[in-house]
Amino acid sequence: MNQQPSSVPSSVEPGAGLSLSVGYGTDRGLRRELNEDSFIASDPLFAVADGMGGHEAGEIASGMCVRALAAIPQLSTGERSVTAAVLQQYLVHADNSIREATGARAGTTLAGAVIVEQMGMPYWLVMNIGDSRTYRLSQGRFEQISVDHSEVQELVDAGEITAEQATVHPRRHVVTRALGTGDETEADYWLLPVEEGDRVLVCSDGLTGELTDDHIHRILSTVGNPQDAVDALIQASLRSGGRDNVTVIVVDARNVLNDAGVATTAPRAEAAEDEVTLPRSRPGQQAGGPAAPPPDSPPAARPDSDAGAAHEDSAHESGAPGDGRH
């Protein structure tokens, strides 16, 4: 679903106040036979699903996930009233559907952000399951909002390896949580106030597996139009090897109301002096926080198959049998 990149940016203005500009695109990469990524970019929901399973199973899993989210009523009405509980309800439905359709032999990650309004103020409700990611460039500060559900992230958290070592670790593609396979399928959630000029990036690991956070930050902070930023990120990932499917969504927020109910129009901050990533800090805990932390569970692996089985996420492993990633 939504397998072709868009060349036309989208501007969403459902009334006075917050205005969103959106760019999105996907590419199967240089080594994959199929694109097992799916995405949805429809106000108020922007999300990327990265299928695992190979031989078209991953494509089925990610597509079912996106179709389940597309059924959320607020997507047809444009209302910004989705809650974490509602999202989780639809994710449970997606999980059940994928298991039934594939015999729990395929799965998908999911990352994204939903615009929600509380007391008239807009927030990013960020969700994550697996190792697709959501970043935010806000007021010159670049940070990873989502926290990877992966074996290497757990090693980083435990102080056993560094973040740099994680990028080349042989188990870097093993995820510990996914929809449709494994024992742990609950998403994490963060709630963050929307700031004037915010730029949010949602992507599959086909981007982060090829580009460093510094490189991503540089593009996001220097390419003004969100569709141009998407195209630049995808092309950069292809130039860096394109070993996996890559899907990117960029959302810009403008005309954000301040506490006095007045819209602000300050320009988005350009490149920050220092990049800030928060792989295990949870900024949402300061502004709403994720839902209750999910219990520990066995890892869901994505098999390291760089050689091109259908969208096998250049080696995403999912501990469930036959789970070839991307």
Side-chain angles (χ1 to χ4, degrees):
M1 182 173 187
N2 281 328
Q3 296 287 6
Q4 298 302 318
S6 166
S7 59
V8 181
S10 170
S11 181
V12 184
E13 297 186 58
L18 179 64
S19 171
L20 303 179
S21 296
V22 186
Y24 48 83
T26 187
D27 194 286
R28 69 182 175 91
L30 304 179
R31 300 193 186 184
R32 301 298 172 196
E33 296 176 2
L34 295 177
N35 191 341
E36 296 184 41
D37 287 359
S38 296
F39 69 91
I40 183 168
S42 177
D43 188 0
L45 174 62
F46 309 93
V48 170
D50 186 353
M52 306 176 292
H55 309 293
E56 299 187 13
E59 181 181 10
I60 291 172
S62 67
M64 293 183 79
C65 175
V66 165
R67 283 190 291 274
L69 291 173
I72 294 175
Q74 285 86 343
L75 266 69
S76 61
T77 64
E79 294 178 82
R80 292 167 172 168
S81 59
V82 178
T83 64
V86 168
L87 286 172
Q88 191 60 43
Q89 174 187 345
Y90 282 84
L91 293 183
V92 168
H93 174 69
D95 178 65
N96 291 336
S97 298
I98 295 168
R99 289 175 189 272
E100 182 177 348
T102 67
R105 291 189 298 271
T108 184
T109 67
L110 177 71
V114 186
I115 289 286
V116 300
E117 292 183 354
Q118 297 185 0
M119 304 295 290
M121 299 297 293
Y123 292 83
W124 301 106
L125 175 57
V126 175
M127 59 184 166
N128 182 64
I129 182 165
D131 62 354
S132 293
R133 291 181 178 176
T134 300
Y135 293 84
R136 180 170 70 158
L137 178 59
S138 181
Q139 308 298 314
R141 177 184 175 91
F142 182 61
E143 59 185 359
Q144 180 183 333
I145 302 300
S146 62
V147 178
D148 292 355
H149 297 131
S150 66
E151 285 196 357
V152 293
Q153 184 62 60
E154 292 179 354
L155 293 173
V156 170
D157 294 342
E160 297 182 23
I161 63 173
T162 65
E164 291 71 27
Q165 291 171 328
T167 63
V168 295
H169 194 280
R171 301 282 287 177
R172 65 188 179 277
H173 300 295
V174 180
V175 297
T176 55
R177 207 180 297 183
L179 290 173
T181 187
D183 295 330
E184 181 54 61
T185 59
E186 186 175 356
D188 285 341
Y189 299 94
W190 296 262
L191 190 63
L192 308 169
V194 178
E195 302 289 346
E196 177 62 32
D198 272 5
R199 169 165 280 189
V200 164
L201 163 70
V202 185
C203 62
S204 62
D205 72 332
L207 181 71
T208 56
E210 299 292 357
L211 304 183
T212 64
D213 282 1
D214 282 330
H215 195 167
I216 293 171
H217 180 202
R218 188 161 59 250
I219 292 173
L220 286 178
S221 60
T222 57
V223 180
N225 181 279
Q227 187 62 51
D228 291 343
V230 166
D231 296 341
L233 288 166
I234 291 176
Q235 290 305 310
S237 72
L238 296 177
R239 287 194 299 270
S240 296
R243 290 166 290 183
D244 198 0
N245 309 145
V246 55
T247 300
V248 178
I249 300 172
V250 171
V251 185
D252 287 353
R254 298 288 187 277
N255 205 36
V256 180
L257 296 179
N258 61 24
D259 290 336
V262 178
T264 57
T265 55
R268 176 173 59 84
E270 292 301 322
E273 294 181 3
D274 300 304
E275 173 197 6
V276 180
T277 57
L278 301 176
R280 258 299 167 186
S281 70
R282 298 178 179 269
Q285 289 181 342
Q286 302 167 9
D296 294 333
S297 61
R302 303 173 170 177
D304 229 318
S305 87
D306 220 355
H311 180 171
E312 256 160 25
D313 247 351
S314 73
H316 263 183
E317 304 177 9
S318 155
D323 194 298
R325 159 64 157 155
H326 283 57

